[in-house]
Amino acid sequence: MGKLFVMDHPLIQHKLTLIRDKQTGSKDFRELLDEISTLMAYEVTRDLPLKEVTIETPISRTSAYVLSGKKLGVVPILRAGLGMVNGILKLVPAARVGHVGLYRDPATLEPVEYYCKLPGDVTERELIVVDPMLATGGSASAAISFLKDRGCTNIKLMCLVAAPEGIERIRRDHEDVDIFVAAVDEKLNDHGYIVPGLGDAGDRLFGTK
Ligand code: PRP
Ligand code: URA
């Protein structure tokens, strides 16, 4: 089964509280999500392999470490996942970005796909799928299946807030995928919203409500 990492770092928790607050407007919401994504990316990339190289400092020749192994790809689930991309790219600027467009049908809560554009070498990359909200888990599960159908094998999922139902769903559908979240909330309400959550992430991010 995939591992679940709940990031309880004080900076992440403090910023998450600000982002949950309904008084927080789109500008601050965007900035906070960006900052939290950078902090989370630090942990998500913790197991990236290193290789030894030789360099010359101004003082002497020495061996040192650089990243090796698979290159990274970041895959935001549109729309709200877009708010987590730049925060990761600040740490890993060479990562490529693939987009998967899914929206959740408000009546059935089932994900509907409307867009996909992935890097040409996506199957050779270690992928981080990002979406602030893991509610029923339908969208993230569909996005991961979508990537696997195209030959991707090395996938992690990074979300801000998760419901227990969403975590359960990913673990059931994709037992090879590790999940990184800042919080696991109480439950889903009758409309499939996370309680207490932060409301509709896409609308808050882009000011569409
Ligand atoms: C939200 C959120 C996730 C999805 C989570 O997107 O960003 O993608 O819902 O719900 P689930 O786990 O039950 O699938 P939404 O469908 O509202 O689209 P948006 O990002 O364009 O607002
Ligand atoms: N999508 C959101 O944006 N928020 C939720 O709470 C659930 C799904």
Side-chain angles (χ1 to χ4, degrees):
M1 187 188 290
K3 294 193 207 82
L4 171 68
F5 297 87
V6 183
M7 297 185 194
D8 57 1
H9 191 288
L11 287 174
I12 295 178
Q13 293 304 313
H14 178 83
K15 290 174 193 295
L16 175 61
T17 299
L18 298 176
I19 220 171
R20 283 184 191 275
D21 192 327
K22 67 178 184 184
Q23 307 287 0
T24 299
S26 285
K27 176 177 181 289
D28 289 338
F29 191 97
R30 273 195 296 273
E31 288 175 5
L32 287 161
L33 184 57
D34 185 68
E35 289 168 8
I36 296 172
S37 302
T38 303
L39 293 167
M40 291 184 75
Y42 180 76
E43 276 303 321
V44 175
T45 54
R46 180 174 283 284
D47 64 354
L48 289 182
L50 294 171
K51 67 178 178 197
E52 206 168 351
V53 294
T54 303
I55 56 163
E56 279 188 41
T57 75
I59 309 299
S60 76
R61 213 172 152 77
T62 185
S63 63
Y65 295 96
V66 294
L67 292 171
S68 76
K70 288 198 171 189
K71 296 175 192 154
L72 273 188
V74 183
V75 182
I77 301 176
L78 307 182
R79 290 174 299 165
L82 287 173
M84 301 179 83
V85 174
N86 283 337
I88 302 175
L89 292 182
K90 274 180 210 159
L91 289 188
V92 207
R96 297 288 161 87
V97 182
H99 295 83
V100 175
L102 291 172
Y103 71 87
R104 194 174 70 157
D105 184 293
T108 64
L109 301 185
E110 288 300 316
V112 182
E113 182 201 320
Y114 62 89
Y115 186 76
C116 174
K117 183 76 183 174
L118 300 172
D121 60 355
V122 70
T123 57
E124 292 154 36
R125 290 181 180 265
E126 179 166 334
L127 300 179
I128 307 172
V129 174
V130 296
D131 192 328
M133 310 309 282
L134 183 65
T136 65
S139 303
S141 181
I144 293 167
S145 296
F146 194 78
L147 293 169
K148 287 183 174 175
D149 289 347
R150 279 152 187 79
C152 303
T153 53
N154 199 333
I155 302 171
K156 291 173 176 166
L157 176 64
M158 174 173 142
C159 302
L160 189 60
V161 180
E165 293 89 334
I167 291 168
E168 196 54 41
R169 172 81 186 262
I170 299 300
R171 288 185 139 176
R172 199 174 61 237
D173 294 355
H174 302 288
E175 57 182 25
D176 54 318
V177 172
D178 289 342
I179 307 169
F180 297 78
V181 299
V184 180
D185 278 10
E186 196 187 323
K187 59 179 182 181
L188 295 177
N189 69 14
D190 293 343
H191 304 287
Y193 277 84
I194 299 174
V195 181
L198 50 76
D200 188 306
D203 283 343
R204 293 196 63 191
L205 191 59
F206 297 111
T208 42
K209 208 158 206 169

